[in-house]
Amino acid sequence: MELRHLRYFCAVAEDGHVTRAAERLHVSQSALTQQIKALEDELGTALLRRVGRGIELTEAGAVFWHEAQSILDRVPIATFAAQEAARGLTGRLAIGMTETVSFASQLTLVMREARERWPRVEFSLIQARSNDLVLALEERLIDVALMRAPAPTTEKLRSWPFLSEGLVGAIPDTHLLATRQAITLADLTDEPLVLPHGRSGPGAMRTRIATAFARLGATAKIAQETPEYVMAINLAAAGFGIALVPAVLSGVRRDGVVYCPLAEPDLLTEIIVVARAGDPAPVLGNFVALCLEHDATKAPGAGTKAS
């Protein structure tokens, strides 16, 4: 059974005459009669009966006409819905992000614009650690993730740069450096530090900080290590030392802490967009394109977009 069978049948039912219906459909009367007969054979029952020079619906035909007309009425709706989905204007998108990325004002701008551009897309957001986000992508629990570099090494995933930003020092407010407009690593060579540490090793940022100190002929004096940047700020507030954290976290307010930019242009942390390689979902493609087209300078203090 095809849509044309339904159209032919409904035309005959509405006109009550095969000849007039054939003229309206621009088909021959014999071809129309054959199509109606094929439809009745498939259904195993008569749908039409002759009355004088015209045709009327049988009881089964009346029921079938009602349902067939409903189907035909929905064809344009279904067509439009499919076209909208193909353009990524409808659908669902599950977005994962790490805790520190969720503080980025640039991401807030992207999400606001995404909702304005695609109001009929259902967005859902979750927060998790980077390793958990990678696993969620591979298991198709989420569609896209925003996390800090380095990118996952698996070939199943693809990544794009989103933005890069510098670090700030979270400094106890009683410290002499708390009044500075900016600090450098040279200012910190004799200071106890609270530094990031990965769950399975030092991590990329910790390694880069150590390398930067080594270029100064110094070694970082580590007072505390933590895999959580927000915990590092809490430790700084408690007086354990100066914490080095991404600049977006300067929006985290803690009593006893002030933030001071770290004037080290080589110490940048990158936020990347990660999705499954080859995922054809239009709504995903739209979102990734939006992330890449956004100018990070629109977000004060968010840093610059990675090249």
Side-chain angles (χ1 to χ4, degrees):
M1 187 183 302
E2 301 176 11
L3 285 177
R4 61 186 173 87
H5 292 115
L6 303 185
R7 292 193 182 98
Y8 288 174
F9 167 73
C10 287
V12 173
E14 291 162 6
D15 288 340
H17 201 283
V18 174
T19 302
R20 287 197 295 269
E23 292 174 352
R24 179 154 66 94
L25 294 169
H26 304 290
V27 297
S28 68
Q29 181 175 337
S30 60
L32 180 56
T33 300
Q34 290 174 1
Q35 293 297 321
I36 297 297
K37 180 64 167 59
L39 179 60
E40 291 178 323
D41 289 344
E42 182 174 348
L43 294 175
T45 186
L47 301 175
L48 303 167
R49 57 174 167 247
R50 291 191 174 278
V51 178
R53 294 185 177 182
I55 286 178
E56 68 177 13
L57 294 169
T58 64
E59 289 74 8
V63 172
F64 188 76
W65 174 82
H66 177 77
E67 298 298 336
Q69 191 60 58
S70 177
I71 292 172
L72 292 176
D73 288 343
R74 292 197 59 80
V75 168
I77 299 173
T79 301
F80 179 76
Q83 292 170 341
E84 293 282 276
R87 295 166 58 195
L89 303 181
T90 61
R92 297 180 178 180
L93 190 69
I95 305 169
M97 64 190 69
T98 57
E99 181 181 31
T100 61
V101 170
S102 69
F103 286 96
S105 55
Q106 184 65 11
L107 177 60
T108 302
L109 293 178
V110 167
M111 291 307 306
R112 181 182 298 129
E113 186 167 342
R115 294 182 69 249
E116 291 172 353
R117 286 193 188 186
W118 309 298
R120 287 179 290 123
V121 171
E122 180 182 335
F123 295 100
S124 60
L125 291 85
I126 67 166
Q127 181 177 297
R129 298 187 179 98
S130 294
N131 289 344
D132 294 330
L133 291 176
V134 170
L135 184 61
L137 280 168
E138 292 178 339
E139 295 183 351
R140 297 184 174 273
L141 300 177
I142 60 174
D143 302 301
V144 62
L146 291 103
M147 63 182 71
R148 294 196 179 274
T153 56
T154 173
E155 294 182 356
K156 296 179 181 179
L157 303 178
R158 182 183 177 188
S159 64
W160 300 263
F162 178 45
L163 63 88
S164 62
E165 60 176 341
L167 302 180
V168 297
I171 306 173
D173 59 6
T174 57
H175 196 285
L176 291 176
L177 293 176
T179 59
R180 297 276 293 273
Q181 296 298 310
I183 57 175
T184 66
L185 287 184
D187 297 320
L188 304 178
T189 54
D190 294 322
E191 298 292 338
L193 300 177
V194 180
L195 294 182
H197 193 282
R199 296 182 181 277
S200 58
M205 180 50 65
R206 166 66 183 282
T207 300
R208 292 168 66 182
I209 291 172
T211 301
F213 269 108
R215 286 198 296 266
L216 297 175
T219 301
K221 294 185 176 181
I222 302 171
Q224 292 288 327
E225 297 176 305
T226 174
E228 305 291 348
Y229 282 116
V230 174
M231 176 58 72
I233 295 172
N234 292 336
L235 291 171
F240 282 89
I242 296 174
L244 297 181
V245 299
V248 294
L249 292 180
S250 58
V252 177
R253 299 304 171 194
R254 289 290 186 274
D255 291 339
V257 166
V258 296
Y259 296 98
C260 186
L262 181 67
E264 298 288 347
D266 292 335
L267 281 180
L268 299 177
T269 176
E270 293 79 28
I271 296 176
I272 57 176
V273 181
V274 185
R276 286 180 294 276
D279 191 327
V283 66
L284 170 63
N286 286 349
F287 182 78
V288 171
L290 176 60
C291 288
L292 299 184
E293 76 183 39
H294 243 263
D295 183 355
T297 60
K298 294 178 183 176
T304 57
K305 185 164 61 177
S307 59

